[in-house]
């Protein structure tokens, strides 16, 4: 777990440093070179996909500074399907430069609040700078791990994430933590990477692919089983586009059961 975290942290610290220096394109180029989320897909066949800022439709990123969206390295737009409402509390797992946190903050105002959780200090600094530039105050960025969320039980209405759960060293633990912090009836709405059922062992074994997306990604069946084990229901998984020869991006939604 420590080795995986170290690899991922180093990768995204570099991306944050480049983005803070107004160099988001080199950060995106690094994603392509790592074999995920870019043309070529890291395999032998062409995989022409969009990722990061390219995925945000006009108007979808309202409330987030252009710099935050430009620094996005995600494979989806979870805020497009989370159905956020004023007054709700939202948690973004692996919040990066803060784009989805800031978009969410506008949607849950007035009365709502958004937490962004990230383990990379450089990303947290960038996210806080982006929030300050946008003048958004109903947000808080927390340092920590997805497997150990520093929030109390049952205090969050919606958990979102943009293609970060696949990078976690212990994904079932991440999903259990998401279920723990959700209120009864709370919603889980994330973008993530799903490995194909027949992904080969060589791709799985490459550490560099873990920091890119594929080696650590669950299959649809594995993700479903982990959500069920975490106690979540009403599971819906919809693939959106290919991000690698052996993987696809998907929207994953579920719900924490409400008391009867």
């Amino acid at each position: 777990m420590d080795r995986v975290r170290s690899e991922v942290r180093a990768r995204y610290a570099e991306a944050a440093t480049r983005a803070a220096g107004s160099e988001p394109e080199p950060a995106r180029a690094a994603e392509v070179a790592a074999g995920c989320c870019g043309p070529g897909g890291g395999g032998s066949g062409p995989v022409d996909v969009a990722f990061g800022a390219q995925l945000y439709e006009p108007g979808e990123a309202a409330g987030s500074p252009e710099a935050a969206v430009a620094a996005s390295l995600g494979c989806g737009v979870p805020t497009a399907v989370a159905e956020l409402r004023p007054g709700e509390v939202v948690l973004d797992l692996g919040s990066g430069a803060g784009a989805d946190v800031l978009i969410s903050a506008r949607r849950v105002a007035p009365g709502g609040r958004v937490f962004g959780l990230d383990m990379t200090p450089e990303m947290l600094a960038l996210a806080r700078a982006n929030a300050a530039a946008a003048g958004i105050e109903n947000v808080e960025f927390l340092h920590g791990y997805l497997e150990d969320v520093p929030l109390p039980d049952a205090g969050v209405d919606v958990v979102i994430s943009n293609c970060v759960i696949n990078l976690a060293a212990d994904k079932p633990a991440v999903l259990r933590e998401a279920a723990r912090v959700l209120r009864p009836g709370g919603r889980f709405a994330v973008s993530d990477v799903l490995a194909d059922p027949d992904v080969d062992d060589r791709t799985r074994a490459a550490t560099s692919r873990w920091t890119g997306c594929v080696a650590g990604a669950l299959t649809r069946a594995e993700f479903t089983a982990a959500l069920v084990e975490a106690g979540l229901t009403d599971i819906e998984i919809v693939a959106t586009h290919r991000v690698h020869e052996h993987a696809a991006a998907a929207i994953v939604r579920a719900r924490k059961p409400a008391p009867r």
Side-chain angles (χ1 to χ4, degrees):
M1 183 179 292
D2 288 342
R3 179 177 60 83
V4 171
R5 284 176 173 172
S6 178
E7 292 281 348
V8 174
R9 185 186 295 110
R11 170 79 171 280
Y12 288 92
E14 179 182 3
T17 300
R18 288 186 179 277
S22 300
E23 296 179 330
E25 288 305 321
R28 275 196 282 270
E31 291 296 289
V32 175
C36 188
C37 298
S44 58
V47 180
D48 187 12
V49 304
F51 75 107
Q54 297 168 288
L55 293 170
Y56 291 82
E57 297 289 342
E60 178 60 38
S64 183
E66 182 178 346
V69 177
S72 172
L73 298 174
C75 63
V77 186
T79 52
V81 297
E83 301 177 357
L84 302 179
R85 309 178 187 109
E88 290 188 319
V89 177
V90 179
L91 169 64
D92 183 6
L93 298 174
S95 49
D100 293 319
V101 169
L102 301 179
I103 294 169
S104 300
R106 295 286 192 191
R107 296 185 182 181
V108 300
R113 188 164 185 80
V114 185
F115 296 94
L117 176 65
D118 206 283
M119 70 173 181
T120 307
E122 292 85 351
M123 277 295 185
L124 290 167
L126 180 60
R128 289 167 181 146
N130 286 330
I136 296 177
E137 298 181 349
N138 61 328
V139 299
E140 183 176 350
F141 292 97
L142 308 171
H143 181 263
Y145 299 115
L146 276 59
E147 297 93 342
D148 187 16
V149 177
L151 289 175
D153 296 354
V156 171
D157 297 294
V158 188
V159 171
I160 64 172
S161 183
N162 197 345
C163 299
V164 179
I165 294 174
N166 61 285
L167 300 174
D170 187 344
K171 283 162 281 295
V174 174
L175 299 180
R176 289 194 296 270
E177 279 293 270
R180 178 185 66 79
V181 301
L182 278 172
R183 294 186 174 116
R187 309 187 301 283
F188 178 87
V190 310
S191 297
D192 211 61
V193 175
L194 297 181
D196 292 343
D198 59 349
V199 62
D200 60 274
D201 292 340
R202 184 177 65 177
T203 301
R204 286 281 194 194
T207 301
S208 63
R209 293 291 191 263
W210 197 302
T211 61
C213 77
V214 181
L218 300 175
T219 65
R220 179 190 294 264
E222 290 168 339
F223 210 126
T224 300
L227 288 167
V228 170
E229 188 274 335
L232 299 178
T233 61
D234 299 333
I235 297 165
E236 178 185 5
I237 300 178
V238 179
T240 55
H241 59 277
R242 302 296 294 179
V243 295
H244 187 275
E245 184 182 10
H246 300 291
I251 292 293
V252 181
R253 290 190 281 194
R255 186 178 296 273
K256 184 172 181 176
R260 293 184 179 180

